[in-house]
Amino acid sequence: MSEEKKKRDGFGSKIGIIAAAAGSAIGLGNIYRFPCELGNNGGAAFLLVYLAVVIFLGIPVMLSELVIGRRSQSNAVGAFKKLAPKSAWSIVGYMGVLCGFIIFAFYSTVSGWTLEYIIKAVSNSFQGKDLAAMEQDFSDFHNMGWRNVMWQAIFIFLTGFVVFKGVQNGIERYAKILMPLLLVILIVLGIRSVTLPGASEGLSFLFSPDFSKIDGKVLISALGQGFFSLSLGMGALITYGSYIKKKDNLTSTAFSVVLADTLIAVLAGLVIFPAAFSFGIRPTAGMGLVFNTIPMIFNQMTGGYIFCIIFFVLLAIAALTSTISLLEVVVAYLSEELHINRKWSTVWACVATLFIGSFASLSLMENTPFAIGGRTVFDLMDFVSSNILLPLGGVLIVIFVGWRLGKTKFFEEVTNEGTIKASLKKVIFFIIRYLAPIAIMIVFISGLIN
Ligand code: TRP
């Protein structure tokens, strides 16, 4: 227990909460999942709904999680037990742990691809390939199911190593330097992308909305993507919040993280769509959209070989700082609530994730047995976690803060017991108490009906 205490102190004071929370938020969700969802949901209209979600719901939900975490100084389950003893609220925490598990399982599949793509980039295997060859490579790779599982295992092991060694501090400190570098590479890629022939079609796909495209599916996808990208609704930021000391400003943290995360996502869109349209890749191409488009842009650039390697290395690191937060939720729960020591908590969580996650990886092969009703296990895990569990978790979290924890305690937390001003606290609390629960419920139900 004393070891745990020490860890909490270190985490909060040494690196600063923004780096950790932004590290969790920025990841494959921004660069891989966001363009996929945008492409499948009609483009610009989705972008608008997405922006509304992150501003009006993302910030309040994020702040709610941080408040719960810091106030309770406890993991996702323990937090509710502490703040609402002998109530059913801890179910929200259990749901979060389960959800963290599921997300880690399929997220590690795509994380593994980043490692494969580093190797491909180093061995210059993208060079001179046209779209058909690129697509062929991508599907060949998926059909090597066990190779996917191998990379996935390596990635899970890496995550486990970091979480077990408690070296998040070190990782986040590097990430603080490396993530701005990712931003720079994305800007360079974006410039190349928008200057490709035929790029304007992609720009209008991204920026001129067709409002008739907005339906229940678009709404729920944008909501799910917003929560996914900001790491909300499953207690990752409750857990991280618990490592924060009393001096940090939670409100400005929430604003900074949402801003940084959204910037990276929009930039990723700006990189992918102009280029995709230019190369003739359909916006609905799904998984191949990002993994085929990006190397093809580098092919069109001087210095593309080196940039491409750097890009995939940074993407792998971005993924790692996200998987760390997913695993941390599970490990913090196992070690603090079930009193399994941190080492074995990590080992068991990783083994179980690999077991479940390998079904996700293997489900992407042609003629896979791991598909249910035409949907792969990978898709099902993604759908259930992002579009069902995260919004459900999010709505319960805001209801908890708005109605159970209450205004006084919320204000105490966001003002650090009255020592700092949080000028937006009243507006945000109003959203937390009334607007957010209603909005999330409406979107959620309209999505389910759809
Ligand atoms: N936000 C991360 C991304 O965009 C993924 C992630 C990490 C996550 N932790 C999470 C998603 C917790 C939901 C909940 O890549």
Side-chain angles (χ1 to χ4, degrees):
M1 197 61 209
S2 69
E3 191 188 311
E4 233 100 66
K5 268 265 168 3
K6 221 165 62 207
K7 193 178 161 303
R8 284 234 152 88
D9 290 344
F11 197 88
S13 54
K14 283 198 193 123
I15 55 142
I17 162 73
I18 295 183
S24 166
I26 297 169
L28 299 168
N30 305 59
I31 289 162
Y32 166 75
R33 198 177 188 278
F34 176 76
C36 287
E37 290 292 299
L38 194 132
N40 283 325
N41 287 287
F46 177 90
L47 178 61
L48 277 184
V49 181
Y50 178 80
L51 291 177
V53 165
V54 294
I55 295 168
F56 295 110
L57 300 175
I59 293 170
V61 176
M62 185 175 290
L63 197 52
S64 300
E65 285 204 29
L66 293 174
V67 162
I68 294 173
R70 187 168 70 175
R71 189 150 190 105
S72 65
Q73 295 288 303
S74 194
N75 62 83
V77 173
F80 290 100
K81 286 191 182 161
K82 254 192 203 161
L83 298 178
K86 301 201 173 55
S87 71
W89 281 105
S90 56
I91 292 172
V92 182
Y94 288 112
M95 246 172 62
V97 173
L98 176 73
C99 187
F101 209 57
I102 300 175
I103 295 180
F104 191 21
F106 74 84
Y107 197 92
S108 54
T109 298
V110 187
S111 303
W113 301 349
T114 63
L115 302 179
E116 168 87 8
Y117 271 65
I118 293 173
I119 305 290
K120 276 190 198 285
V122 171
S123 60
N124 206 6
S125 85
F126 302 124
Q127 169 92 85
K129 285 202 169 130
D130 63 0
L131 178 60
M134 211 66 98
E135 280 175 341
Q136 188 60 44
D137 277 8
F138 191 64
S139 70
D140 286 349
F141 171 49
H142 283 167
N143 283 327
M144 290 186 279
W146 291 104
R147 192 174 165 95
N148 284 260
V149 174
M150 172 194 81
W151 287 124
Q152 176 175 35
I154 292 174
F155 207 94
I156 292 173
F157 173 80
L158 263 172
T159 310
F161 181 80
V162 173
V163 166
F164 167 58
K165 286 281 180 189
V167 290
Q168 281 102 320
N169 283 342
I171 299 280
E172 302 293 351
R173 204 173 297 139
Y174 284 117
K176 251 201 283 198
I177 308 161
L178 293 175
M179 289 307 105
L181 198 58
L182 181 66
L183 187 74
V184 172
I185 292 216
L186 283 173
I187 292 173
V188 173
L189 270 171
I191 292 172
R192 179 68 270 224
S193 176
V194 298
T195 51
L196 286 166
S200 59
E201 227 185 307
L203 283 174
S204 66
F205 179 76
L206 192 57
F207 293 124
S208 49
D210 172 358
F211 291 101
S212 67
K213 291 228 171 92
I214 298 179
D215 58 9
K217 178 174 166 281
V218 169
L219 292 179
I220 187 80
S221 304
L223 183 75
Q225 175 59 25
F227 277 39
F228 188 91
S229 189
L230 296 171
S231 304
L232 299 177
M234 52 74 70
L237 293 179
I238 294 179
T239 309
Y240 273 21
S242 75
Y243 302 135
I244 305 175
K245 287 287 110 184
K246 295 292 176 193
K247 64 177 176 21
D248 280 300
N249 184 335
L250 300 184
T251 316
S252 70
T253 299
F255 273 92
S256 312
V257 173
V258 169
L259 185 72
D261 188 77
T262 307
L263 192 68
I264 299 260
V266 173
L267 254 176
L270 209 51
V271 168
I272 298 298
F273 290 101
F277 275 84
S278 170
F279 300 142
I281 302 175
R282 286 168 299 114
T284 50
M287 303 188 146
L289 179 64
V290 172
F291 278 85
N292 291 329
T293 304
I294 287 188
M296 286 185 72
I297 307 175
F298 284 121
N299 273 347
Q300 308 276 331
M301 262 169 68
T302 23
Y305 171 74
I306 287 290
F307 276 126
C308 190
I309 298 172
I310 299 176
F311 175 83
F312 281 110
V313 169
L314 292 177
L315 190 59
I317 293 170
L320 183 64
T321 56
S322 298
T323 52
I324 288 169
S325 75
L326 289 164
L327 182 58
E328 183 62 40
V329 172
V330 180
V331 169
Y333 161 71
L334 291 176
S335 61
E336 291 177 16
E337 299 301 310
L338 302 187
H339 305 291
I340 303 169
N341 72 34
R342 249 188 106 83
K343 176 172 152 198
W344 286 108
S345 297
T346 311
V347 170
W348 286 119
C350 286
V351 169
T353 305
L354 181 59
F355 179 72
I356 313 235
S358 55
F359 290 100
S361 285
L362 296 174
S363 78
L364 299 176
M365 295 191 302
E366 247 173 291
N367 306 321
T368 177
F370 305 117
I372 301 161
R375 287 188 101 128
T376 60
V377 167
F378 180 101
D379 278 341
L380 281 171
M381 286 181 174
D382 182 313
F383 180 82
V384 169
S385 55
S386 313
N387 291 6
I388 297 178
L389 291 176
L390 295 182
L392 211 55
V395 85
L396 292 171
I397 284 167
V398 281
I399 292 175
F400 181 80
V401 171
W403 297 89
R404 170 82 199 218
L405 193 67
K407 193 176 190 165
T408 316
K409 289 178 181 161
F410 177 79
F411 282 4
E412 264 171 36
E413 273 312 313
V414 295
T415 61
N416 295 354
E417 317 280 338
T419 56
I420 53 170
K421 242 180 83 190
S423 31
L424 285 173
K425 61 180 185 294
K426 285 193 182 140
V427 182
I428 296 179
F429 189 75
F430 181 80
I431 298 179
I432 289 173
R433 196 172 158 110
Y434 300 104
L435 293 187
I438 295 170
I440 299 172
M441 280 322 283
I442 291 177
V443 170
F444 188 65
I445 291 165
S446 74
L448 282 189
I449 293 169
N450 220 276

PDB file of all heavy atoms in Angstrom, residues 26 47 77 88 98 141 183 193 198 219 235 278 284 296 306 309 328 390 402 406 449:
ATOM      1  N   ILE A  26      -4.678  11.372 -26.814  1.00  0.00           N
ATOM      2  CA  ILE A  26      -4.149  11.372 -28.182  1.00  0.00           C
ATOM      3  C   ILE A  26      -3.601   9.993 -28.521  1.00  0.00           C
ATOM      4  O   ILE A  26      -2.738   9.477 -27.819  1.00  0.00           O
ATOM      5  CB  ILE A  26      -3.038  12.437 -28.332  1.00  0.00           C
ATOM      6  CG1 ILE A  26      -3.644  13.826 -28.101  1.00  0.00           C
ATOM      7  CG2 ILE A  26      -2.387  12.346 -29.700  1.00  0.00           C
ATOM      8  CD1 ILE A  26      -2.622  14.926 -27.961  1.00  0.00           C
ATOM      9  N   LEU A  47     -18.225  15.876 -38.824  1.00  0.00           N
ATOM     10  CA  LEU A  47     -17.234  16.734 -38.167  1.00  0.00           C
ATOM     11  C   LEU A  47     -17.917  17.775 -37.279  1.00  0.00           C
ATOM     12  O   LEU A  47     -17.515  18.001 -36.135  1.00  0.00           O
ATOM     13  CB  LEU A  47     -16.346  17.416 -39.205  1.00  0.00           C
ATOM     14  CG  LEU A  47     -15.290  18.397 -38.670  1.00  0.00           C
ATOM     15  CD1 LEU A  47     -14.312  17.694 -37.737  1.00  0.00           C
ATOM     16  CD2 LEU A  47     -14.513  19.055 -39.805  1.00  0.00           C
ATOM     17  N   VAL A  77     -13.416   1.846  -9.492  1.00  0.00           N
ATOM     18  CA  VAL A  77     -14.442   1.217  -8.654  1.00  0.00           C
ATOM     19  C   VAL A  77     -14.414   1.819  -7.252  1.00  0.00           C
ATOM     20  O   VAL A  77     -15.444   2.230  -6.704  1.00  0.00           O
ATOM     21  CB  VAL A  77     -14.235  -0.316  -8.585  1.00  0.00           C
ATOM     22  CG1 VAL A  77     -15.182  -0.945  -7.586  1.00  0.00           C
ATOM     23  CG2 VAL A  77     -14.422  -0.929  -9.968  1.00  0.00           C
ATOM     24  N   ALA A  88     -25.307   1.542  -5.268  1.00  0.00           N
ATOM     25  CA  ALA A  88     -25.062   0.781  -6.500  1.00  0.00           C
ATOM     26  C   ALA A  88     -24.115   1.507  -7.446  1.00  0.00           C
ATOM     27  O   ALA A  88     -23.792   0.997  -8.514  1.00  0.00           O
ATOM     28  CB  ALA A  88     -26.391   0.496  -7.193  1.00  0.00           C
ATOM     29  N   LEU A  98     -14.452  -3.205 -17.128  1.00  0.00           N
ATOM     30  CA  LEU A  98     -14.791  -4.134 -18.212  1.00  0.00           C
ATOM     31  C   LEU A  98     -14.532  -3.482 -19.570  1.00  0.00           C
ATOM     32  O   LEU A  98     -13.941  -4.069 -20.482  1.00  0.00           O
ATOM     33  CB  LEU A  98     -16.266  -4.541 -18.103  1.00  0.00           C
ATOM     34  CG  LEU A  98     -16.770  -5.435 -19.236  1.00  0.00           C
ATOM     35  CD1 LEU A  98     -16.199  -6.844 -19.077  1.00  0.00           C
ATOM     36  CD2 LEU A  98     -18.294  -5.486 -19.274  1.00  0.00           C
ATOM     37  N   PHE A 141      -1.405  -8.796 -45.094  1.00  0.00           N
ATOM     38  CA  PHE A 141      -0.961  -8.714 -43.694  1.00  0.00           C
ATOM     39  C   PHE A 141      -2.082  -9.195 -42.758  1.00  0.00           C
ATOM     40  O   PHE A 141      -1.840  -9.982 -41.838  1.00  0.00           O
ATOM     41  CB  PHE A 141      -0.536  -7.278 -43.376  1.00  0.00           C
ATOM     42  CG  PHE A 141      -0.265  -7.016 -41.923  1.00  0.00           C
ATOM     43  CD1 PHE A 141       0.558  -7.853 -41.180  1.00  0.00           C
ATOM     44  CD2 PHE A 141      -0.840  -5.920 -41.287  1.00  0.00           C
ATOM     45  CE1 PHE A 141       0.811  -7.602 -39.827  1.00  0.00           C
ATOM     46  CE2 PHE A 141      -0.597  -5.670 -39.939  1.00  0.00           C
ATOM     47  CZ  PHE A 141       0.221  -6.512 -39.210  1.00  0.00           C
ATOM     48  N   LEU A 183       2.610  16.421 -34.106  1.00  0.00           N
ATOM     49  CA  LEU A 183       1.836  17.538 -34.645  1.00  0.00           C
ATOM     50  C   LEU A 183       2.551  18.147 -35.856  1.00  0.00           C
ATOM     51  O   LEU A 183       1.939  18.399 -36.899  1.00  0.00           O
ATOM     52  CB  LEU A 183       1.654  18.590 -33.548  1.00  0.00           C
ATOM     53  CG  LEU A 183       0.734  19.756 -33.860  1.00  0.00           C
ATOM     54  CD1 LEU A 183      -0.705  19.299 -33.814  1.00  0.00           C
ATOM     55  CD2 LEU A 183       0.942  20.887 -32.861  1.00  0.00           C
ATOM     56  N   SER A 193      -0.631  16.871 -48.548  1.00  0.00           N
ATOM     57  CA  SER A 193      -1.916  16.290 -48.924  1.00  0.00           C
ATOM     58  C   SER A 193      -2.808  17.289 -49.658  1.00  0.00           C
ATOM     59  O   SER A 193      -3.371  16.977 -50.706  1.00  0.00           O
ATOM     60  CB  SER A 193      -2.611  15.764 -47.668  1.00  0.00           C
ATOM     61  OG  SER A 193      -3.883  15.292 -47.967  1.00  0.00           O
ATOM     62  N   GLY A 198      -6.329  17.112 -57.284  1.00  0.00           N
ATOM     63  CA  GLY A 198      -7.638  16.561 -56.918  1.00  0.00           C
ATOM     64  C   GLY A 198      -7.942  16.608 -55.440  1.00  0.00           C
ATOM     65  O   GLY A 198      -8.906  16.004 -54.954  1.00  0.00           O
ATOM     66  N   LEU A 219     -25.136  10.666 -35.246  1.00  0.00           N
ATOM     67  CA  LEU A 219     -25.079  11.215 -33.885  1.00  0.00           C
ATOM     68  C   LEU A 219     -24.378  10.266 -32.921  1.00  0.00           C
ATOM     69  O   LEU A 219     -23.466  10.661 -32.199  1.00  0.00           O
ATOM     70  CB  LEU A 219     -26.495  11.517 -33.373  1.00  0.00           C
ATOM     71  CG  LEU A 219     -27.246  12.654 -34.070  1.00  0.00           C
ATOM     72  CD1 LEU A 219     -28.634  12.821 -33.468  1.00  0.00           C
ATOM     73  CD2 LEU A 219     -26.476  13.967 -33.963  1.00  0.00           C
ATOM     74  N   GLY A 235     -13.602   5.655 -16.812  1.00  0.00           N
ATOM     75  CA  GLY A 235     -12.824   5.765 -15.589  1.00  0.00           C
ATOM     76  C   GLY A 235     -11.326   5.931 -15.773  1.00  0.00           C
ATOM     77  O   GLY A 235     -10.581   5.948 -14.794  1.00  0.00           O
ATOM     78  N   SER A 278      -7.445  12.185 -53.786  1.00  0.00           N
ATOM     79  CA  SER A 278      -6.475  12.321 -54.861  1.00  0.00           C
ATOM     80  C   SER A 278      -6.008  10.955 -55.379  1.00  0.00           C
ATOM     81  O   SER A 278      -5.853  10.749 -56.571  1.00  0.00           O
ATOM     82  CB  SER A 278      -5.282  13.138 -54.372  1.00  0.00           C
ATOM     83  OG  SER A 278      -4.237  13.098 -55.291  1.00  0.00           O
ATOM     84  N   THR A 284     -14.998   5.610 -47.431  1.00  0.00           N
ATOM     85  CA  THR A 284     -15.593   4.544 -46.620  1.00  0.00           C
ATOM     86  C   THR A 284     -14.700   3.308 -46.582  1.00  0.00           C
ATOM     87  O   THR A 284     -15.137   2.234 -46.184  1.00  0.00           O
ATOM     88  CB  THR A 284     -16.963   4.136 -47.196  1.00  0.00           C
ATOM     89  OG1 THR A 284     -16.791   3.892 -48.603  1.00  0.00           O
ATOM     90  CG2 THR A 284     -17.998   5.220 -47.005  1.00  0.00           C
ATOM     91  N   MET A 296       1.310   6.368 -48.897  1.00  0.00           N
ATOM     92  CA  MET A 296       1.272   6.886 -50.264  1.00  0.00           C
ATOM     93  C   MET A 296       1.582   8.384 -50.318  1.00  0.00           C
ATOM     94  O   MET A 296       2.159   8.865 -51.289  1.00  0.00           O
ATOM     95  CB  MET A 296      -0.075   6.589 -50.917  1.00  0.00           C
ATOM     96  CG  MET A 296      -0.194   5.115 -51.294  1.00  0.00           C
ATOM     97  SD  MET A 296      -1.689   4.721 -52.208  1.00  0.00           S
ATOM     98  CE  MET A 296      -1.350   5.465 -53.793  1.00  0.00           C
ATOM     99  N   ILE A 306      12.441   8.764 -44.587  1.00  0.00           N
ATOM    100  CA  ILE A 306      12.743   9.048 -43.179  1.00  0.00           C
ATOM    101  C   ILE A 306      11.487   9.508 -42.427  1.00  0.00           C
ATOM    102  O   ILE A 306      11.161   9.023 -41.345  1.00  0.00           O
ATOM    103  CB  ILE A 306      13.830  10.150 -43.089  1.00  0.00           C
ATOM    104  CG1 ILE A 306      15.185   9.586 -43.486  1.00  0.00           C
ATOM    105  CG2 ILE A 306      13.899  10.750 -41.695  1.00  0.00           C
ATOM    106  CD1 ILE A 306      15.747   8.608 -42.476  1.00  0.00           C
ATOM    107  N   ILE A 309       9.209   6.649 -41.430  1.00  0.00           N
ATOM    108  CA  ILE A 309       9.660   5.898 -40.250  1.00  0.00           C
ATOM    109  C   ILE A 309       9.324   6.684 -38.989  1.00  0.00           C
ATOM    110  O   ILE A 309       8.731   6.155 -38.041  1.00  0.00           O
ATOM    111  CB  ILE A 309      11.186   5.643 -40.302  1.00  0.00           C
ATOM    112  CG1 ILE A 309      11.529   4.800 -41.526  1.00  0.00           C
ATOM    113  CG2 ILE A 309      11.661   4.973 -39.023  1.00  0.00           C
ATOM    114  CD1 ILE A 309      13.028   4.657 -41.776  1.00  0.00           C
ATOM    115  N   GLU A 328      -3.925   0.743 -16.986  1.00  0.00           N
ATOM    116  CA  GLU A 328      -3.841   1.294 -15.631  1.00  0.00           C
ATOM    117  C   GLU A 328      -5.192   1.213 -14.898  1.00  0.00           C
ATOM    118  O   GLU A 328      -5.240   0.945 -13.695  1.00  0.00           O
ATOM    119  CB  GLU A 328      -3.345   2.745 -15.699  1.00  0.00           C
ATOM    120  CG  GLU A 328      -3.146   3.444 -14.364  1.00  0.00           C
ATOM    121  CD  GLU A 328      -2.084   2.805 -13.464  1.00  0.00           C
ATOM    122  OE1 GLU A 328      -1.035   2.392 -13.988  1.00  0.00           O
ATOM    123  OE2 GLU A 328      -2.316   2.729 -12.238  1.00  0.00           O
ATOM    124  N   LEU A 390     -19.246   3.378 -23.395  1.00  0.00           N
ATOM    125  CA  LEU A 390     -18.700   4.704 -23.057  1.00  0.00           C
ATOM    126  C   LEU A 390     -19.804   5.750 -22.850  1.00  0.00           C
ATOM    127  O   LEU A 390     -19.798   6.465 -21.841  1.00  0.00           O
ATOM    128  CB  LEU A 390     -17.687   5.188 -24.094  1.00  0.00           C
ATOM    129  CG  LEU A 390     -16.370   4.400 -24.238  1.00  0.00           C
ATOM    130  CD1 LEU A 390     -15.470   5.049 -25.262  1.00  0.00           C
ATOM    131  CD2 LEU A 390     -15.647   4.281 -22.900  1.00  0.00           C
ATOM    132  N   GLY A 402     -23.542  15.535 -10.918  1.00  0.00           N
ATOM    133  CA  GLY A 402     -24.580  16.556 -10.873  1.00  0.00           C
ATOM    134  C   GLY A 402     -25.575  16.365  -9.742  1.00  0.00           C
ATOM    135  O   GLY A 402     -26.041  17.345  -9.144  1.00  0.00           O
ATOM    136  N   GLY A 406     -22.892  16.562  -6.034  1.00  0.00           N
ATOM    137  CA  GLY A 406     -23.494  17.869  -5.782  1.00  0.00           C
ATOM    138  C   GLY A 406     -22.598  19.052  -6.050  1.00  0.00           C
ATOM    139  O   GLY A 406     -21.386  18.944  -6.198  1.00  0.00           O
ATOM    140  N   ILE A 449     -32.192   3.090 -31.771  1.00  0.00           N
ATOM    141  CA  ILE A 449     -33.332   2.897 -32.674  1.00  0.00           C
ATOM    142  C   ILE A 449     -32.823   2.699 -34.097  1.00  0.00           C
ATOM    143  O   ILE A 449     -33.259   1.822 -34.815  1.00  0.00           O
ATOM    144  CB  ILE A 449     -34.286   4.110 -32.605  1.00  0.00           C
ATOM    145  CG1 ILE A 449     -34.945   4.151 -31.216  1.00  0.00           C
ATOM    146  CG2 ILE A 449     -35.352   4.022 -33.695  1.00  0.00           C
ATOM    147  CD1 ILE A 449     -35.700   5.427 -30.937  1.00  0.00           C
TER     148      ILE A 449
END
